[in-house]
Amino acid sequence: MHPDEHEEALAGEHAAAVERALTALDLDTKVRLLSGQDMWTLPAVPEIGLRSLVMSDGPIGVRGQEWSAEDPSVALPSPTALAATWDPELARRAGHLLAQEARRKGVHVLLAPTVNLHRSPLGGRHFECYSEDPLLTGVIGAGYVRGVQEGGVATTVKHFVGNDAETDRLTVDNRIAPRPLRELYLAPFEHIVTHARPWGIMTAYNQVNGSTMTEHRYLVQEVLRGEWGFDGCNVSDWTAARDTVRALRGGLDVAMPGPRTVYGAPLAGAVRAGEVAESEVDDAVRRVLLLAARTGCLAGVPAAVAPADVPQYVDGPAMAREIARRAFVLLRNEPVGGEPLADAPVADKPATQPAAAHASANQASAPHTSVAEEPGAHQAAVHEPEGREAAVHEAAVIGEEVIGEAVGAQPVGDAVRRVLPLDATTIRSLAVIGATARDARVLGGGSATVFPDRIVAPLDGLRAALPDDVEVTFAVGADPRTRIPHARAGFALHARYLDANGNLLAETPQFDGKVQVMGRFPAGVTRHNLSAVELTGTYTPHLGGAHTFAVAGTGALRLTVGGTILFDETVAPEGSDPFEAFMNPVEQQVTAELAAGERVDVTLRFVPRSLGLGEGLDALNFTLGHNAPQLDADAEIEEAVRAAAAADVAVVVVATTEEVESEGYDRSDLRLPGRQDELVTRVAAVNPRTVVVVNSGSPVELPWREQVAAVLLSWFPGQEAGAALADVLLGIHEPGGRLPTTWPARLDDAPVTTVTPTNGQLPYSEGPFIGYRAWQRSASLPAPAYPFGHGLGYTDWEYESLDTTPDSVRVRLRNTGPRPGREIVQIYLAPAPTTPNGAEPAPTATVDATPPTSNGTDPAPYTAPSGIGPAPTATADAIPEAPERPARWLVGFAVVEAGPDESTEAEIPLPDRAFEIWDEEAGHWRRIKGVYTVEAAHSLTDRRLTAEVTAT
């Protein structure tokens, strides 16, 4: 039985069990169930067979109740990386792994996925969201939710709604007109609710149109529950619930974290004072009890997924590695030798032969086939080849269109062989350059942080994969970090928790030099008995010389290395934000002369100034950092340039830092930190076979992109980063990713760069035009560096035919390259302009549907602000009743695979919503009739085949 069918079959049993449990509760117990009892849990009620519900942060791993390295977690690639796979089935399998991890850690509710949009590239939490496009976000999010819940674990889709930036996120009032609110920001939530039936939603800190989201009755009660039929539990973001009565009336079920919230005793008092009815409390309690029933925490009723029905065991490291390599986006891949053949995305122009497809509203005729004029013109993503020998095949170049200019057919051979994949049989030396090539940055900062039991750095992954006779050299080049990295390589550490008499309370292993607890101390440790923590162990230097150590923490810190006390002071916090002082304590640096290969004892003793972030919230954070001896900045770059000049190939890893991309703050620019741009430019000048790996969770400026042979985007690639990178660079697997967000050449070119409120408000004045919708709307915006959907691979694809029916399209394509491959077929819908010179329009396929109605009423209609003019396409002439719309929008996609010279087909639905806009005056969805062009594309600007349909 399908999981959804099984859940529906249990619905009656769950409802009856919920009512039985509810009638056994008094008011005080009911309100306790709506309030966290601590950081991560709700209280148990043994009298009704209710176990404590345990929640945990995600979305790339399951941390559990301890925010520490004591219980390691699998660390998957960042959500933006998952979206770059464009594969909801892969997202579903990732969900299976996360559910498996949650069950192992005793977690019932995963606080994920994050489905806010990439409104601006400055968003600090960009890496934790999927895409700028609401459909791609919704489809990937739905796959993720289905996978987690098929494993019997609840999801809470977040942050409902409008938490698209971090600046003043606790208080900002985002002013979003009804149409963009519906068509963009609510759309991913709606898709997930209607297609994946999540068991939870998390409401955000921010306000939308004057109402805090934890109190937004219209959006929660009328839209989420009324229109979409959401029957799950609404949990607040942590500390986001502010008012008892307004939160309950606004549809908030659970206020987190505890033990003190606006619910509990304050809610019981409000009922007794007549401010709210107990029946309103009962509604919220029913939803909490239903969540408990679904997750197996309510006795006397089966869980939504029986233990025997959970998915089969998933290998965590293998899954992390697969997602990473499938997410890598090959932005550029130049030939080496002979004339350069640019891999830049094609200019934005339609396919050369639009096709007619015939159908009617009542009867669909035989599909009409369209034929591409230039077959096999571009590379695409890959199916996994059998063995390394496939990696050395050249990608056949049949013909390519670059920046609007046709490039003639090129002979296949060494003269035009692209730099990637690397041929491990011919390389004799490889220079690996960049601080994060050695100290990998595999995840973003903030609540998405987990602690894996291992990390494979790019340098380690390449060394392990290359033959022994390949010389691999390393140089830092330009270290972008302003803080010393956590002690890791060469260290063996553990944490010892001590009482006031020095007695050992608990001892835990450490993955690195960061000791962090948030929510619960190790067993046997409490606020009352803990006096000090010692991070202790050994360090064996690889290099001799002056080593830099760093200590950070709020309290007394004493660092001893090799029997010498290097630091012994009490450090006070900076600033007035206690959470910021906890997460990023002041750092102090010292140096020590150490000999290569001689092991030394290391101990950092920490006596914390406080042991919490409020009542009931156990918290502890201090770090030991370490840097091996380094040259000065100029000398580091010179060393990297020499290494690159002497090597057959140079791989340069550039990255952002935790100070640039993290929860809690937005970015101020898109530049790579430090001197990394200079590093790449100088390396490329001495080695034409320079491959740059961009280790960032969101767009960065790449001013040198035309100077290097290849640019590979790795996102934050998870714990198996280096292994996956070796797979792709050596051609064992193909880079499978496509951009889920537009990549601007410069920040100034981005259509939305305002993320800072004015007088507490942030107007979304761009309306429905963000991302590629905005770039195609304004001719004054410079073209982005790389368009939405762009990504290269190691084989070629010919799009052979595009057939339409009233509700779907079928695309047939052929792998014309020399190796198995994977392609992502993207379908866009464009309102067709009027036919010029009175010519007869092409035959069309017509699609008919009745627009759905709304159960609620939107706020007052939005008047577009001045400065928003008509779209460059002639949609107003073609469809007089249509408001301004994007030039085209994504309406579907599919992943296909084929071997060399094999054909494959993808059938992709055309959803009714693709033809609709939100009518602000009527307050419901309205179908826009008329002629549309259906475009089958490799990317937004690389459209291969077209056909016309008519919406009636």
Side-chain angles (χ1 to χ4, degrees), residues 130-211:
Y130 291 128
S131 172
E132 68 187 28
D133 183 80
L135 178 66
L136 179 57
T137 297
V139 171
I140 297 297
Y144 181 105
V145 167
R146 279 194 295 269
V148 173
Q149 294 187 172
E150 284 168 0
V153 176
T155 56
T156 55
V157 187
K158 63 184 186 182
H159 307 85
F160 188 77
V161 62
N163 187 180
D164 307 300
E166 293 296 282
T167 304
D168 296 343
R169 63 174 177 165
L170 302 182
T171 58
V172 62
D173 181 9
N174 293 322
R175 309 298 292 188
I176 312 175
R179 187 179 164 207
L181 184 61
R182 291 282 188 153
E183 295 181 14
L184 295 180
Y185 303 102
L186 287 172
F189 292 94
E190 180 182 12
H191 184 96
I192 294 169
V193 167
T194 55
H195 289 80
R197 299 180 61 184
W199 300 342
I201 289 279
M202 179 187 288
T203 37
Y205 292 113
N206 54 275
Q207 301 176 54
V208 171
N209 299 330
S211 178

Side-chain angles (χ1 to χ4, degrees), residues 758-820:
T758 301
N759 297 322
Q761 294 187 345
L762 182 62
Y764 283 36
S765 55
E766 69 279 356
F769 297 94
I770 66 170
Y772 70 82
R773 289 167 165 81
W775 252 287
Q776 294 202 108
R777 177 173 180 252
S778 174
S780 65
L781 283 176
Y786 301 103
F788 179 79
H790 173 65
L792 306 171
Y794 297 156
T795 192
D796 302 303
W797 292 89
E798 174 188 351
Y799 280 56
E800 296 180 325
S801 65
L802 169 63
D803 306 330
T804 64
T805 70
D807 57 3
S808 68
V809 298
R810 187 187 308 113
V811 182
R812 184 174 181 83
L813 60 165
R814 178 181 297 275
N815 178 357
T816 60
R819 58 181 286 164

Side-chain angles (χ1 to χ4, degrees), residues 602-627:
V602 177
T603 298
L604 176 59
R605 180 181 174 86
F606 177 55
V607 180
R609 179 174 176 172
S610 66
L611 288 171
L613 288 173
E615 183 180 356
L617 179 54
D618 294 338
L620 173 78
N621 184 30
F622 71 102
T623 61
L624 171 65
H626 173 263
N627 251 344

Side-chain angles (χ1 to χ4, degrees), residues 152-338:
V153 176
T155 56
T156 55
V157 187
K158 63 184 186 182
H159 307 85
F160 188 77
V161 62
N163 187 180
D164 307 300
E166 293 296 282
T167 304
D168 296 343
R169 63 174 177 165
L170 302 182
T171 58
V172 62
D173 181 9
N174 293 322
R175 309 298 292 188
I176 312 175
R179 187 179 164 207
L181 184 61
R182 291 282 188 153
E183 295 181 14
L184 295 180
Y185 303 102
L186 287 172
F189 292 94
E190 180 182 12
H191 184 96
I192 294 169
V193 167
T194 55
H195 289 80
R197 299 180 61 184
W199 300 342
I201 289 279
M202 179 187 288
T203 37
Y205 292 113
N206 54 275
Q207 301 176 54
V208 171
N209 299 330
S211 178
T212 298
M213 280 311 306
T214 53
E215 304 167 5
H216 211 303
R217 183 178 179 86
Y218 169 70
L219 289 178
V220 174
Q221 298 286 58
E222 297 185 35
V223 176
L224 175 64
R225 290 192 170 121
E227 294 180 31
W228 304 347
F230 173 67
D231 66 352
C233 187
N234 174 13
V235 181
S236 76
D237 205 340
W238 266 224
T239 73
R242 293 161 181 132
D243 183 89
T244 300
V245 174
R246 291 199 302 268
L248 189 70
R249 293 257 166 90
L252 181 69
D253 299 321
V254 174
M256 292 294 292
R260 292 190 181 274
T261 74
V262 298
Y263 286 169
L267 180 54
V271 173
R272 292 183 174 113
E275 299 176 68
V276 293
E278 187 169 352
S279 60
E280 296 175 88
V281 174
D282 289 347
D283 288 339
V285 174
R286 283 187 180 94
R287 289 186 283 266
V288 172
L289 293 172
L290 177 58
L291 178 63
R294 285 169 163 167
T295 56
C297 291
L298 185 62
V301 63
V305 179
D309 295 333
V310 300
Q312 293 182 343
Y313 175 79
V314 181
D315 184 317
M319 174 60 67
R321 186 170 179 172
E322 179 184 356
I323 294 173
R325 64 186 179 235
R326 296 263 315 265
F328 289 168
V329 179
L330 185 57
L331 297 177
R332 174 179 173 86
N333 191 18
E334 288 290 291
V336 289

Side-chain angles (χ1 to χ4, degrees), residues 543-563:
L543 297 174
H547 289 248
T548 301
F549 290 86
V551 298
T554 301
L557 291 157
R558 185 174 70 220
L559 174 64
T560 305
V561 177

